[in-house]
């Protein structure tokens, strides 16, 4: 996998800025990861995709967010844009390179910025499932965070019933570390146990994704 960004390496940044997420586009060839932005060329596709995602049964259960119409979708997008401005979270729209269609999302946020501890999450629309889109996008953002933001440890927590998310975590080299009981209330209104996975900056890169 090759990823191109315009962000300078950690060594080239001031130490005080090393744990700030700086806006970048990650180019995976057929897929682009762009920061959520009201000024994006793909804004219409982003908004339409968000409305479709919020209505999808799997997303609404495991990753619910309000986007019943364009007004709500725009409000959600503006909050993601604001997190970039603060350097506190890196929230990417996953887009098809050929048509700009929204395929999914990856969000990385600091849990403890001073300690270099972050958490990552992801979702994909039905058209992107079964194509390793979530895996490739999550790998790209993980590597980018280690290389450009001095992340030390990144965690994934997902409901134990969300087997697809577990597969993505495994394929991205996030090792299982245990089960968090009644850890998070999901879209069905119930608290679910969660599997905790994590990767360290010092961990080896995972094996290539099988074709």
């Amino acid at each position: 996998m090759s990823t191109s960004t315009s962000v300078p390496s950690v060594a080239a940044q001031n130490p005080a800025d090393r744990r700030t997420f700086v806006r970048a586009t990650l180019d995976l060839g057929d897929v682009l990861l762009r920061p959520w932005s009201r000024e994006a060329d793909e804004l219409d596709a982003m908004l339409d995709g968000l409305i479709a995602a919020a209505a999808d049964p799997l997303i609404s259960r495991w990753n619910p967010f309000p986007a019943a119409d364009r007004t709500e979708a725009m409000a959600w997008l503006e909050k993601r844009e604001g997190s970039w401005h603060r350097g506190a979270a890196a929230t990417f729209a996953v887009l098809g390179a050929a048509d700009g269609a929204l395929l999914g999302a990856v969000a990385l946020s600091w849990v403890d910025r001073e300690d270099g501890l972050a958490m990552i999450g992801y979702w994909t629309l039905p058209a992107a499932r079964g194509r390793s889109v979530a895996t490739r996008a999550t790998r790209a953002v993980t590597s980018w965070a280690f290389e450009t933001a001095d992340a030390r440890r990144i965690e994934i927590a997902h409901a134990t019933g969300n087997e697809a998310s577990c597969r993505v975590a495994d394929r991205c080299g996030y090792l299982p570390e245990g089960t968090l009981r009644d850890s998070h209330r999901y879209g069905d209104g119930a608290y679910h146990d969660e599997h905790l996975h994590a990767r360290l900056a010092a961990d080896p890169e995972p094996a290539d994704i099988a074709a």
Side-chain angles (χ1 to χ4, degrees):
M1 177 193 74
S2 63
T3 301
S4 64
T5 103
S6 59
V7 177
S9 66
V10 167
Q13 297 178 23
N14 293 327
D17 297 331
R18 288 170 65 173
R19 285 185 173 148
T20 294
F21 297 125
V22 179
R23 294 169 66 90
T25 293
L26 309 185
D27 186 348
L28 309 187
D30 59 325
V31 174
L32 296 176
L33 277 64
R34 292 197 191 279
W36 293 103
S37 172
R38 290 168 292 177
E39 299 178 0
D41 293 339
E42 305 90 351
L43 179 59
D44 286 341
M46 286 182 177
L47 294 176
D48 291 342
L50 283 172
I51 294 169
D56 178 77
L58 287 179
I59 295 174
S60 64
R61 182 178 187 185
W62 301 127
N63 298 277
F65 62 92
D69 53 36
R70 283 203 163 201
T71 299
E72 287 190 348
M74 182 65 84
W76 184 91
L77 187 153
E78 287 180 11
K79 288 182 179 179
R80 310 286 88 71
E81 190 176 33
S83 68
W84 277 107
H85 291 321
R86 297 188 299 275
T91 54
F92 293 91
V94 182
L95 305 168
D99 58 6
L102 184 66
L103 302 176
V106 179
L108 179 74
S109 58
W110 289 119
V111 176
D112 187 330
R113 194 166 176 172
E114 291 187 4
D115 192 45
L117 173 62
M119 179 164 282
I120 196 167
Y122 39 82
W123 51 259
T124 54
L125 282 155
R129 293 170 191 163
R131 297 165 46 191
S132 297
V133 171
T135 298
R136 293 170 58 210
T138 301
R139 283 191 181 195
V141 175
T142 297
S143 296
W144 171 82
F146 286 145
E147 293 168 4
T148 71
D150 198 30
R152 179 187 63 84
R153 170 184 166 95
I154 304 176
E155 298 178 344
I156 292 173
H158 65 81
T160 55
N162 189 350
E163 296 179 0
S165 189
C166 197
R167 289 192 294 271
V168 170
D170 289 340
R171 291 169 183 166
C172 290
Y174 282 79
L175 300 181
E177 295 191 343
T179 300
L180 309 173
R181 296 180 299 159
D182 273 3
S183 177
H184 185 72
R185 189 197 299 271
Y186 281 85
D188 59 3
Y191 282 96
H192 288 256
D193 292 353
E194 292 186 303
H195 285 156
L196 177 66
H197 303 249
R199 262 187 72 179
L200 304 180
D203 286 343
E205 287 291 323
D208 289 341
I209 304 168

